[in-house]
Amino acid sequence: MSDVTVEVMEKKLVTNQRPTDAIVGESPLHHADLASIASQGPQEGGVHFCEHKLLGLLTLRCVPLPQQQEEIESLLGVALPMAPLTSVTKDDTSIGKVSVRWVGPDEWLIIVPGDEAFDLETRFFETLSGHFSLVNISGGSTVFDVSGDQVVSMLKKSIPVDLHIREFPVGKVVSTIFAKSGAIVCRLGENQFELVVRRSFADYLWLWVQDASREYGLVVKTS
Amino acid sequence: MFYIYCPHCCEHREEEEFHAAGQAHIPRPLDPDACTDKEWGEYMYFRKNPRGIHHELWVHSAGCRKFFNITRDTQTYEIKEVYKIGEKPSVVANAVEVQNSHTQNSSKTPLENTLESQSGATL
Amino acid sequence: MQHYSGFGLLKHSFSHHENWQRVWRNPTPKKKYDVIIVGGGGHGLATAYYLAKEFGVTNVAVIEKGFLGGGNTARNTTIVRSNYLWDEAAHLYEHSMKLWEGLSQDLNYNVMFSQRGCLNLGHTLQDMRDIERRVNANRLNGIDGEVLDAQQIKEIVPVLDCSDSARYPVMGASWQPRAGVARHDAVAWGFARGADAHGVDLIQQTEVQDLIIEDGTVVGVRTAQYGDIRADKVGCVVAGNSSVLAKMGGFELPLESHPLQALVSEPIKPILDTVVMSNHVHGYASQSDKGDLVIGAGIDGYNGYGQRGSYATVEHTIQAILEMFPVFSRVRMNRQWGGIVDTCPDACPLITETPVKNLFFNCGWGTGGFKATPGSGHVFAASLAKGEMHPLAKPFSMFRFHNGALVDEHGAAGVAH
Amino acid sequence: MSQRNRLQNGGRIDRSKSLTFTYNGKLLKGYAGDTLASALLANGVDIVGRSFKYSRPRGIVAAGAEEPNAIMQVGATEATQIPNVRATQQSLYDGLVAGTTNGWPSVETDLMEYVGKIGGKMMPPGFYYKTFMFPQSLWGTYESYIRKAAGLGRAPQDTDPDIYDKMNQHCDVMIVGAGPAGLVAALTAARAGARVIIADEQNEFGGSLLSSTETLDGKPAAEWIASVVQELASFDDVMMLTHSQVNGYHDHNFLTIQQHCTDQFADRAPNGQIAQRLHRVRAKWVVLATGAHERPLVYGNNDVPGCMVANAVSTYINRYGVAPGIDLVLMTSNDNAYRTALDWHDAGRNVVAVVDSRKNPQGTLVDAARERGISILVGSGVIEAHGSKRVTSVSIAPLNDAGDAVVGAIVKMKADTVATSGGWSPVIHLSCHTGARPVWNDAILGFTPGATVQKQLTAGAINGSFTTANALNEGLSAACEALSHLNLTKPDVSLPATQDIEEGEAMALFHIPHTKPTSKAPKQFVDYQNDVTAAGIELACREGFESIEHVKRYTAMGFGTDQGKLGNINGMAIAAKTLNQTIPQTGTTIFRPNYTPVTFGAIVGRDCGALFDPKRYTAMHSWHVEHGAKFEDVGLWKRPWYYPQGQETMQESLNRECLAVRESAGILDASTLGKIDIQGKDAREFLGRVYSNAWAKLAVGKCRYGLMCGEDGMVFDDGVTSCLAENHFLMTTTTGGAAHVLEWLEIYHQTEWPEMEVYFTSVTDHWATMTISGPNSRKLLEKLTDYDVSKDNMAFMDWKPMTVAGVPARVFRISFTGELSFEINVQANYGLHVWKALFEHGKAFNLTPYGTETMHILRAEKGFIIAGQDTDGSVHPFDLGMSWAVSMQKPFSFIGKRGMQREDCVRADRKQLVGLKTIDPNVVLPEGAQGVLDPKASIPMPMVGHVTSSYWSANLNRSVAMGFVKGGLDKMGERVFYPLVDGRVVEAEICSPVFLDPKGERQHV
C-alpha cells in the first residue's frame, strides 16, 4: 500500500500509529508543563506525582484457552494474570518493561514502551490463534504515578475501594471510579500507585490530585 | 448504599461503581416479527416489580464492565445472592426463609451448571 | 361539616379550643359499597371527594393500610405546575392547576397553595431549544409560560449563580408564574375531611390483602380486620404499591417502583422566593413557609419499596444545589427521607381500565403525582362514576404500551419532577 | 458581665486559657473547654432565643445534641455566617461571634411576645389550615408575614471561604459513641487486631463519664478514659474521631461521619486547612453505643428560662464548672436524677427541694440526698413554673398514685432553676435509618432498637442498660460478637470496677397534671422549638388525628432541628393517654438521617466549583483557547462553538465560518465523537442487528451511515461505521451518546447473544479527529500527504490509511457538511501537531476553524439530522423521512424493527420531519416554535409539530429550518404557521429538508 505499514491479519487491521521520532507526541498533560513544576515547585510533600508519558497501551479482550495463554505468554514475556484483580510487571523482557493489568474476566491492559506497541500488536495478530481483540489505546490514556507518605490519604478522597494493605496488597489492580471519572489503579508499593486514566479526563484528574494533595503537599516529578 | 459483590471481580464494591439495568431474565423474543403488538409491548414495558424478592440485572460499569444478576429484597434491600449471566437464581420468591439476616454479604457460590443460554437483556 | 374561618378560631379560643369537631369519622366499614378506593393518599382521597361531591356517588369507602396521606403525599417536595410538553399531559395537569386555584375555598381548608412561580433552568443549547418548544406548546395550550434570559432570572432569584464562571452557566429558563407549592399534608386532610362530610367512609390501618374477582370481574376486596368488603367498582390508587395490587388482579403493569429521595435544610430566613429546577444540573429547590429549603433528589436506578435510597444520590443533589446556589454552602441539611415512586416508561401516568372488569388503576405518576392530585382525583372520579374513562384520562390507558401510543415526556426537558 | 455562675473549681475546662467571645454584640469571657452554651450559662445569660409561634423567651435546657432552644447565628464575617448552630455543640474559641436569631428589638425584650400572648390563643395546632383562605388572592400576603416570622438563622450572602472534604473509609468495626460502652468495645476490637473506627460528637472521649462524679477502679473515671484513649492511639488500625457526629446509617453498613476539623476552633479554617471532613464509612460490623438522652417532664410554663433537664445541670456543674443558678428544685420520677441534687448541693448551691412523684423512693442516691439534709417531697410534682424571663418560683402539688391528677394543696417555693427527669430515652436514631422499627420497652419506658438486617450490634444505654457497669459489659460483649463474626480471637480485657449503686423503681410519668384541665392550664411544652404543647396534642387527637404520624404532622412535633430528641416520647405518651391507648399502640417513632444537621458544604466536599463536574478536553483544546473559541457544553466535553474574531457578533462569526467552508476550506475538531473498535468474526452480523440498515455487503475500505433504534423502533443515536478489515470495524457515535451506545452493545452481547464472537473497545479518546471540509480540502490534504487522495483513488465514503504531516493517519472521506470532506484521525498524542500543520499549509486556502454551530448550520442546509436535536426518543426512521436507512429485508429482526411496526407507529398522520422555508426569507424561525395549520384557531390550538433546527444560512442568503409536521411528508408545498411568544406569526412552506445541492454533487467531487 502506501507509506504506512498496514497489515491485514486474521482479517483485522493493524496500523502503525507513531510517526518518526522527529515528531514529538504530546501527552494528555502536556499543557500542564509538569517539567517546570518539577524543577521549580515544592520538593517536599506527602504526595508525589509523575506522568509516565507516551507509553504503549493495548487492550486485550479474550477468554484465553490454555493454548492462547501459552501463546500470549510467549508474546509478552510474562504470563497473563488470570486471577481477578491481579497484575504482573516484568522489567526485563525482550521488549523492555512489560506490565499486564487484569481489567475484567476477558480484558487486560498491557503496558509496554511506546515504540514497542505496534510491533507487539503485529506479533499478536500474527501469532495468537482463536477469538480475541487487541486495540491500541496509547493515545486514549495516560499513566500517572502517585506515591508518598500520604498517597493513601489522597486516594481515600478519590476512590471508594479499600486501600488497606491487607485488602489491597502490592500488585493488586482495580478498575474503579476516581472522583467523577474512572481509573485503573494498581498498587506498585506500599506507598506507590499507578493510575491509568483517560486522556480527556486527564486535566480534571490532575486538578483533582492537586486539590486532594493540598493539605499534604504535592511534589511533581518527571519520569 | 449497596455494597455489591461482583461475581467477576470476586469482591465487594461500592454501589457507585455499578448501574442497575432493570429486571433480569427477560429474554428477547426469538422471533419478534411473530409477536403481536401486545406481546411486544409486554416484552418491552410490563414488569413484575415485586415487593420482596426480585431478580435484577446490574452492570459493573466502572469496574469490569460485566453484567450480572442480583437477587435482592426490594423491601429490606438485602442482597440474597449474586450470579452470573446464564445462571439461575437459587433464592426465589415464596421460598421459605432462605437465609437469616446476617448472611447478606456472604458471597454466593455460583452455580456450576449453566442453565439458560438466554438470560435476557433489559431495555 | 364544621366551617373553618378566622372568626371560628377566635370563637373557639374562648372555649380553649375544646369544642372543635372531628375532621373525619372513624367508621366501621359496611358490607358493600358502590365504589371502593384502595389507597388513602392524596389521589385516592381526592377521587373519593369528587365522586361524592361532583358525581353524587356517596356510598364509597377509602381503604388505607396506614394513615391517610402517609405515602408519597407526605414525602414529596410539594411543587405544583402544569407546564408539560405534550398536549395530553398538559391538558391533564392544567386541569389540575385550575382545581388547585380554588381548592382552599372549595375544601374550606387552607392547603396554602402559593403561586410563587417556577423556573426551569436551561444550561445548554439543547436545554434552551427544549424550553422554547415547551413554552410555545404551553402557550398554545392556554398554559402560562415565558422564556427568560439569565438577567431576568437573576432578578427573580438573586442568590442563583448566573455567572459565566459556573460549570454549566445558566442560559435561560422557562417561567410559569402560576406554578408554586402547597402544603402537602393539608391537601390529604382537606380532601379527607371533605369526602367524610359527603358520607365517604375512610377506613384507616386496614390493608387490602386480596382483590375478590369473580368471572373476570372484581366484586370487592379482602381485608384482615373486616373480612370481605364488596363493591361494584374498585379503584386502586396506591402509587408505589400498584404492582403488588395488580398481581392480586393477575396482571402486570408497565411500572417500576423506585426510591425517590428528598431533603430539607434547617429553617433559615426567607432567601428563595420561587421554585427553581434544573434538569441539567439535576437539582431543584424551594423554600417552605417554615424556612426549610426543600430539595428533591434524583430517582435511584433500582426497584425499591424501602422508602429510602442511596446516599450518593443525595450527595449528587446537594452538589447540584451548591453549584446553583453557592451561598448555601454553610447551611445545613436537617433531614432526608424517601418515597416509593411508581414510574412509567414514558414518564406519564396510568389512569386506566384493566384486564379485570370494574377494576381501575390510577398510578404511575412518577415524580409528577403531587401536582396532579386534584386533577387526577377528578378525572378518575368521573371515570369511576360513569364507568367510562374521562376524555382527559383516555390517553393514559395502560394499553398504550401495547399499541405504542406513548406520551413521551422524557423527550421534553423540565418534566423530571 | 462576669462569669457569675462559674464555680470556683472543678470541671474539665482549662482555666489558664481565657477566651473572649461576642454574644449579641457584648464581649464575654469563657475558658478553653467550654461550649458556647456553658460559657453563656457561666455568664448568667438566661434568654437565648424566642419561640417560633408565641415568641416566648427561651433558655438553655440541655447540654448536647438534644438542645432545642439555644440555636445561634455564628460567624464573625458575612462570608462565615452559620445559621442555627446549637450552642451546646459549639466549642468556644477566642473571637467567636454568636447571636440569637429571633426577637425584636432584642431577644430580651421582644415585642412579638405581646402578639404571641394575645394572638397565641388563636393559634392552636393547625390553625393556619382553618383560616387565611379568603380571599385566595391575599394568601401571598399572609404568607409573606408567616415566612418572615419563621426561619431561625440566615444564610450568608457571600461565598463560603472554607474548604470541606470527603474521605472513604473501610473498617472491621465502626463504633458510634465513645462512652464507657464504646470505649470498651473499641479497646476489645483493637486488641484483637481489628480495624476500628470510633467516633464521638464530643470534643473528647468519655461520653457520660465526663459529666459524672463516678469512679472506676476507685479512681476518677477520667483516669480510666485517659488510659483507654492512650492505648487506642497506639494501634495503627484504630481511627479515633472526636468532634465527629455519625449522622447517617445507610444500607449495607454504610455510615457518614461529619468531622469538625477546624470550625470548632476558628471562625474560618486557617490557611488551606479543611474545615470539616465527611467520612464515608463502609463497616463490616457496627456497634452503636450512642447512649441516651434524658427526658424532661412536661408541666406548666416549663419553658421559662431556668427550666432544664436534670442531667444537663449535672453536666454543666461537673464538666464545665458552671452552676446555672442558685436555688434548685429538682423534679423526678426516678432515682438517677438525684445525682443532680447531690451535684448542686456539693457545688455549694441551695437545693430547695427534690420533688419526687413516687410515694416511697428508696435507693443509694435517695439516701445520699437525705444524708445531705436535702428536703424531699414525695408523691408530688411541680405543676407550674413562674417567672417571665427566668424562673422565680414553682408551684408544687401532691399527685395521685397514677400521677395524672393533683390531689392536694399547692405549695409555692422560690427557685430560679427547675431540673426535671422523666427517665432516659435511648438514642436509637441511627438504628432506624435503614428501616428498622424500634420497639417499646416497658421496663425502661423507652424505645430500643428493633430487628435489623444490618450487621449491627448495640451496647449500653441505647439498649436501656443505663448503669456504667452494664455499659462496660455490653461494650465488651458486642465487641466479642463482632470479633467472632470476623474470625478474630477475643483478647483479654478486664473491665474496671464500678461503684455499686442500687436504684429504686422508676415511675412512668411524662406529663404532670395541673389543677386546671390541660386545655386551660398554663402552656405545657412538649416540643420547644415548634411550640407544641400538651394541649395541642390533645386537641389534635380530639380532632381525629389519631395516628402518631398525624399528630406529629398536625402539630409539627419533632420537625425542628432537634428532631424531637427531647419531646417525641412525651408527645407520644400524651397522645396515647388522650386516645386511651398504650404507647406502642399509638405508634412508634422513626428517625431519618441526619442525626444532627450536616453542613451542605461538607456533604459536597470537593465536588464543587471547578471540580463540580469534569471538563473533558480534546488534544487540540489549548489551540482553541488560544484562538478565542467560545465553547459549548456537550455532555462533559467542552467543544468549540464558534471562533469570534475582533468585534464580530456571533452571527457574523457564523456567516464567515459558513462561507469559508463552502467557498474554500474549514476545519472542525470532531474528536469528541464516540468511537468504538469492533473486532471478531461476528462483528458484521452484530452491526446488522443493532443498526436499522444493512451491513452484510460493506466492503473493506468503505464507510456507511447507520441509525440505531431502541426495541421500540425510536432512533436514539446515529453515526458512521467503517469496515477496517473483514472482521474489524470502527463505529462512531454522537458525542453525547458514546457511553450509552457502548453499554447498549455490551448488554446485548453479554445477555442476549453471548455466543457471538465480537469485542467492543472504546477508542474515543485514542483518536484525535479533525475534519477538513470545503472545495479546497483535497488540495490542502495533498500538501500534507504523499498519498493519492484523488477522486479516483479515494471516492466518497472510502477510508484510507496514509501519513498526514508525518503522522500515520486514518482518513475517512465522509461529509456532514455536504462538501468535499476528509476526516483525519491520528493518535491523539499527535493531534495538535497535525492540526497545526494543517494551518501552516492552510493559509493559502483561508483555512478557517469552525465550531459546532457552523457545523449545525452547514448540515441543516443539507437536511442532515442531529440525533438529540431533531429526534427526541419518540420518532422512528420513517418519521425522519429516512426509510433509506432501514432494511426490512434483513434476515435477523434488527433492534427496532418490531417496535416501529406497532399500530401507533404506522399511523399516516404521525409527526414527520420536513424542511421549512419561511415565506419571508429573512425571518429565522425560533427553534422550538410550534406549528399550527390555522393561526386563528382558539386556544388550545391544535399543534402539528415543532421546529427542531433553524438557522440563518449565509450561503443561501435566507433562513433554513427543519421541523416536525403531522403527516408532513405528504404535505410538500403546503403552509404552516408559527405563532410566536412576541405575537408574531411566521408562515412557512413545507419543503424537502435538503436546501442545498440536493443531488449531492459537492461532496462527490
Side-chain angles (χ1 to χ4, degrees), chain D residues 46 119 272 456 578 684 708 740 752 814 856:
Chain D
D46 292 332
Q456 171 202 297
T578 311
R684 185 182 294 276
M708 221 175 261
H740 175 63
E752 284 293 343
I814 54 180
H856 284 200

Side-chain angles (χ1 to χ4, degrees), chain D residues 213-235:
Chain D
T213 51
E214 270 182 87
T215 61
L216 290 173
D217 282 338
K219 291 176 283 187
E223 289 183 28
W224 178 79
I225 298 170
S227 72
V228 174
V229 166
Q230 192 185 5
E231 184 176 345
L232 286 175
S234 70
F235 293 101

Side-chain angles (χ1 to χ4, degrees), chain C residues 17-18 23 26 68 105 110 114 116 140 167-168 183 267-269 289 308 315 329-330 332-333 336, chain D residues 84 102 121 129 133 143 150-151 153 160 251 280 519 543 546 550 593 598 600 613-614 904 927 941:
Chain C
H17 301 287
E18 284 170 349
V23 279
N26 210 353
L68 298 175
Q105 292 73 27
N110 189 355
S114 168
R116 51 179 75 174
L140 296 181
R167 173 65 183 86
Y168 301 106
R183 171 82 188 128
I268 53 174
K269 292 296 177 201
D289 288 347
R308 60 188 191 279
E315 274 182 325
S329 175
R330 293 173 88 86
R332 300 185 299 178
M333 167 177 154
Q336 67 169 91
Chain D
N84 308 344
N102 278 324
K121 292 194 193 327
Y129 303 128
M133 281 175 277
E143 190 179 38
D160 191 346
D251 285 284
R280 306 163 90 248
S519 58
E543 285 194 88
E546 296 176 345
H550 274 163
V598 186
F600 280 151
D613 250 4
D904 192 71
E927 288 167 345
M941 273 192 202

Side-chain angles (χ1 to χ4, degrees), chain D residues 88-112:
Chain D
T88 51
Q89 292 185 295
Q90 173 64 56
S91 294
L92 193 69
Y93 56 80
D94 210 35
L96 183 140
V97 179
T100 46
T101 60
N102 278 324
W104 187 87
S106 76
V107 75
E108 302 285 333
T109 315
D110 180 13
L111 292 180
M112 283 303 288

